[in-house]
Amino acid sequence: MKLGAGTVAAVLACLAAVHLYAAGGSPHATLQTSPGLLLTGVSSPATLAAGLERMPDHLNQVVGLSAQQKAQTIERVEQARAELTALEPAYQQRNAQMLALMLQDKADNDAVERLRREQYAASENSSRKVTQTMLDLSRLLTPGQRQLFNDMAAKHHQGSH
């Protein structure tokens, strides 16, 4: 099935509205940090990598890492960030291809859907990397440090609702 340019524009406008709402009314909060989010609804690997950047300092502020813990945290975070950053060019290429297909006179729905699925599969891998990194970091903490971090996270979660 082929979609006309007007249908594609309407779909893009709806996606923009959803992401605008999710960003708290600011189009810049979401779209500037992850431009591909508009096309596929998934964050870029570079955005996820950037989110990890401050994790060693944040953990240290919350739980007081030892010198060894801090070094291990930095090492694990830098490794994850490098792996995520390496995925960024393919992510950007899929987004560029998807946008080019959407802007044709008659969008190729099947090709766009294939790229969307590829983007979600890649996003799953990126998400898995972030989750594994967080698990690795939690294993570096003592039980008391994990409790401090849990208490901070619980307070932060309550404050966001």
Side-chain angles (χ1 to χ4, degrees):
M1 176 171 101
K2 305 281 185 189
L3 296 176
T7 303
V8 171
V11 168
L12 290 174
C14 288
L15 284 171
V18 167
H19 291 291
L20 178 63
Y21 175 76
S26 168
H28 304 292
T30 301
L31 300 178
Q32 283 186 348
T33 58
S34 188
L37 193 59
L38 178 62
L39 292 176
T40 60
V42 298
S43 292
S44 75
T47 300
L48 295 173
L52 287 174
E53 183 176 13
R54 294 189 335 216
M55 184 53 68
D57 288 336
H58 184 64
L59 265 178
N60 189 40
Q61 288 174 356
V62 173
V63 304
L65 298 173
S66 70
Q68 182 180 7
Q69 287 174 315
K70 190 166 185 177
Q72 290 173 324
T73 298
I74 290 169
E75 179 183 335
R76 284 184 172 85
V77 166
E78 286 179 356
Q79 179 183 3
R81 291 185 70 227
E83 291 174 19
L84 289 165
T85 301
L87 300 173
E88 184 67 14
Y91 172 89
Q92 293 299 334
Q93 182 179 9
R94 284 187 297 272
N95 277 348
Q97 290 171 338
M98 190 180 303
L99 184 59
L101 288 167
M102 288 179 171
L103 296 177
Q104 292 177 354
D105 286 340
K106 292 195 177 199
D108 183 343
N109 208 35
D110 294 336
V112 170
E113 177 60 16
R114 179 185 52 79
L115 287 166
R116 185 197 65 79
R117 287 182 182 176
E118 288 176 17
Q119 207 66 314
Y120 268 92
S123 174
E124 176 69 22
N125 290 332
S126 296
S127 173
R128 188 176 297 114
K129 171 49 67 185
V130 171
T131 300
Q132 186 60 54
T133 300
M134 297 306 290
L135 282 169
D136 291 347
L137 295 180
S138 74
R139 290 183 183 115
L140 295 175
L141 303 177
T142 67
Q145 288 172 322
R146 277 194 295 276
Q147 185 60 51
L148 284 170
F149 192 80
N150 183 50
D151 293 347
M152 183 277 309
K155 288 177 186 174
H156 177 74
H157 182 72
Q158 290 172 346
S160 66
H161 290 265

